[in-house]
Amino acid sequence: MKYFNKTLIAVSVALISGQTLAAGFQLNSQSATGIGRAFAGDAVIADNASVLSRNPAAMALFDKAAISVGVTTVDVQVDIKDVNFMGGQVDLGGIDDAGSVKWIPNIYYIQPLNDKWAVGFAAFSNFGTGTDSASLVNSKTVAAPYDLIGNTEVTTINFNTSVSYRINDMLSLGVGLDLIYGEGNLDRYYNQMPLVDVDADGWGIGGIVGATLELNENNRFGLSYRYSPNVDVSGHIATLTPLPGQTNSFASTLFDELEVPLADIFQLAGFHQLTENFAVHYTAQYTRWGNFDQITAKDGVSSIYGTGTVIANNVNAPLKQYQWKNSWLMSVGGTYDINEQFTVRAGYMFDNGVVDEISSISIPDSDRQWFTAGLSYHINQHQTIDFGMAFVKGEEVELVENSAVVGPVNAITKSEAMYYSVQYSYQF
């Protein structure tokens, strides 16, 4: 089942909880204000309720109830070119844009209970994208790496409930419960036969703890740690493999679930109001992608394809280690109040890629740079409309991925994205 391992990994990775088109399969799309400043200082600025996605302790900075509702459009551009194998003798060409456009909504609500306690509720997406490289092998008369190329679509939703407590004028603590839902669709076909056909979803329970330190009204720091669990996704998970020693005979295996380990996230943020109108802020984030070691397909039943004759029960398929590495994300930004009605912001982020020695055509990855800008229009003292946009620039990567059908496959990939976000916030 060597070549199915890689494609099952593709859908499993895509169900990961995280934060942007960022390293691995993360998505930073939680708010328009965050996008506008490259999420610099987002765990402590607390200019609207979306801070709940980064640090539950920051709810202690609110003395009135607050709600934020927004939507982000992510246009992911994935270019795949010079796909070839057999030492370059067979060239499949490339695809100018294998990515897709996603609309990602979010909502946050913070309710102070008294001068010590606050609670909050949120729903936002940590991932939403897809790639479709099937046209590289469609209608091909030659052998092709059918096991590596096809369609992948994924969505995740994070439902969060949090509480914060103010210890004193300087220190506040917070804790939250994450209920993570993920769904994914993946297919790989050969001559209309489904080598891999996955339509899976599942739930996981994680959590977040945080703290804020307020030196004074102009200088504060935020710290948070998000624990991400192993998630079991279930649904239709099917593979088709050749039977040993037989021609044109296949074993079809239906698995009950995939076990997916997720990455923990540690974040430190700072905010400094330098003048009455201008502030700087920054974030350092460490993501434990090294925890993503093995995906396991579990509790499978194998039968002879086309006959239904069962040949094996309780099939577990431990998948190879993906060998991702831990990564850092660094961002810096600035905010300037033009007047009582308008605020502008901008930011820059550098995001480490997580792929180490093993690459994938279905999961293009590289170091990325974010260039962002945003604008707030304060309708009145209670209502604000925010806009944010970002250009995410990836690097061109030459990779080699092994196909069980044709052997080593060479390709060049590059992924970039444009983010556009709008958000409405109300403080009661």
Side-chain angles (χ1 to χ4, degrees):
M1 299 184 65
K2 179 178 179 181
Y3 58 94
F4 295 118
N5 291 352
K6 293 183 177 63
T7 49
L8 283 173
I9 283 175
V11 75
S12 303
V13 172
L15 296 175
I16 288 175
S17 164
Q19 308 295 319
T20 141
L21 187 69
F25 261 82
Q26 296 179 352
L27 260 182
N28 277 319
S29 61
Q30 289 79 19
S31 68
T33 45
I35 289 174
R37 56 183 171 239
F39 294 93
D42 244 37
V44 75
I45 293 180
D47 49 358
N48 57 66
S50 67
V51 71
L52 188 54
S53 69
R54 299 284 176 154
N55 184 3
M59 292 191 298
L61 301 175
F62 290 77
D63 56 8
K64 297 179 181 179
I67 187 171
S68 291
V69 181
V71 63
T72 299
T73 300
V74 185
D75 185 2
V76 180
Q77 304 288 325
V78 179
D79 294 334
I80 305 171
K81 62 181 181 179
D82 297 337
V83 181
N84 65 86
F85 54 94
M86 295 182 63
Q89 296 182 45
V90 180
D91 189 346
L92 299 180
I95 303 175
D96 290 335
D97 183 12
S100 62
V101 176
K102 290 291 183 181
W103 293 83
I104 307 171
N106 56 70
I107 184 169
Y108 308 90
Y109 179 73
I110 294 174
Q111 176 64 62
L113 302 178
N114 50 46
D115 60 354
K116 293 289 186 180
W117 294 94
V119 296
F121 308 94
F124 52 94
S125 178
N126 281 326
F127 186 86
T129 190
T131 59
D132 187 356
S133 56
S135 62
L136 286 171
V137 295
N138 287 345
S139 303
K140 300 295 183 183
T141 58
V142 299
Y146 300 100
D147 51 319
L148 306 184
I149 294 172
N151 179 63
T152 304
E153 287 287 335
V154 177
T155 301
T156 66
I157 304 173
N158 191 314
F159 299 95
N160 174 272
T161 300
S162 295
V163 61
S164 69
Y165 179 74
R166 177 175 287 280
I167 295 177
N168 53 43
D169 289 342
M170 291 184 63
L171 183 63
S172 301
L173 302 177
V175 62
L177 179 70
D178 289 327
L179 187 59
I180 304 163
Y181 172 76
E183 63 178 2
N185 297 279
L186 180 142
D187 58 63
R188 303 289 185 266
Y189 281 87
Y190 169 68
N191 286 344
Q192 298 184 340
M193 291 192 302
L195 299 180
V196 177
D197 186 8
V198 177
D199 184 357
D201 63 359
W203 293 86
I205 297 177
I208 183 171
V209 295
T212 61
L213 180 64
E214 301 170 69
L215 301 183
N216 51 51
E217 64 179 0
N218 294 323
N219 299 277
R220 55 185 181 267
F221 299 92
L223 186 71
S224 68
Y225 180 82
R226 172 162 262 129
Y227 163 74
S228 298
N230 288 0
V231 176
D232 289 332
V233 297
S234 59
H236 180 73
I237 305 170
T239 64
L240 196 65
T241 56
L243 286 170
Q246 299 189 38
T247 303
N248 295 324
S249 294
F250 299 86
S252 175
T253 304
L254 292 175
F255 293 95
D256 282 349
E257 62 184 23
L258 294 173
E259 184 181 66
V260 186
L262 306 183
D264 295 344
I265 300 168
F266 174 81
Q267 187 168 192
L268 172 67
F271 172 85
H272 306 284
Q273 189 75 41
L274 300 184
T275 70
E276 183 179 353
N277 299 93
F278 180 66
V280 296
H281 27 85
Y282 46 85
T283 288
Q285 178 178 296
Y286 181 72
T287 307
R288 296 184 61 193
W289 284 113
N291 287 348
F292 185 71
D293 50 6
Q294 177 176 288
I295 305 299
T296 304
K298 302 194 304 185
D299 300 328
V301 176
S302 293
S303 60
I304 299 176
Y305 181 68
T307 69
T309 303
V310 175
I311 56 178
N313 290 293
N314 301 317
V315 177
N316 290 333
L319 307 184
K320 72 179 182 69
Q321 291 202 359
Y322 211 66
Q323 298 181 10
W324 279 13
K325 59 186 179 183
N326 299 331
S327 68
W328 280 97
L329 174 157
M330 303 287 186
S331 66
V332 62
T335 298
Y336 183 77
D337 294 320
I338 299 175
N339 52 41
E340 292 184 355
Q341 281 193 306
F342 292 99
T343 298
V344 292
R345 58 185 60 87
Y348 170 80
M349 179 194 299
F350 181 81
D351 187 17
N352 284 132
V354 299
V355 170
D356 197 4
E357 296 181 358
I358 302 174
S359 299
S360 171
I361 295 173
S362 297
I363 312 175
D365 187 74
S366 70
D367 293 343
R368 294 180 173 92
Q369 298 183 76
W370 287 59
F371 305 91
T372 75
L375 169 71
S376 292
Y377 172 59
H378 308 287
I379 301 172
N380 52 44
Q381 62 179 344
H382 299 289
Q383 302 179 79
T384 301
I385 296 179
D386 300 293
F387 304 91
M389 64 181 299
F391 170 59
V392 186
K393 180 177 176 57
E395 297 177 355
E396 195 169 81
V397 175
E398 297 183 12
L399 61 85
V400 179
E401 185 175 11
N402 190 58
S403 165
V405 179
V406 298
V409 177
N410 300 283
I412 298 175
T413 64
K414 185 176 183 179
S415 57
E416 297 182 339
M418 286 297 303
Y419 285 67
Y420 305 95
S421 186
V422 62
Q423 171 182 305
Y424 171 79
S425 296
Y426 188 94
Q427 292 205 25
F428 295 85

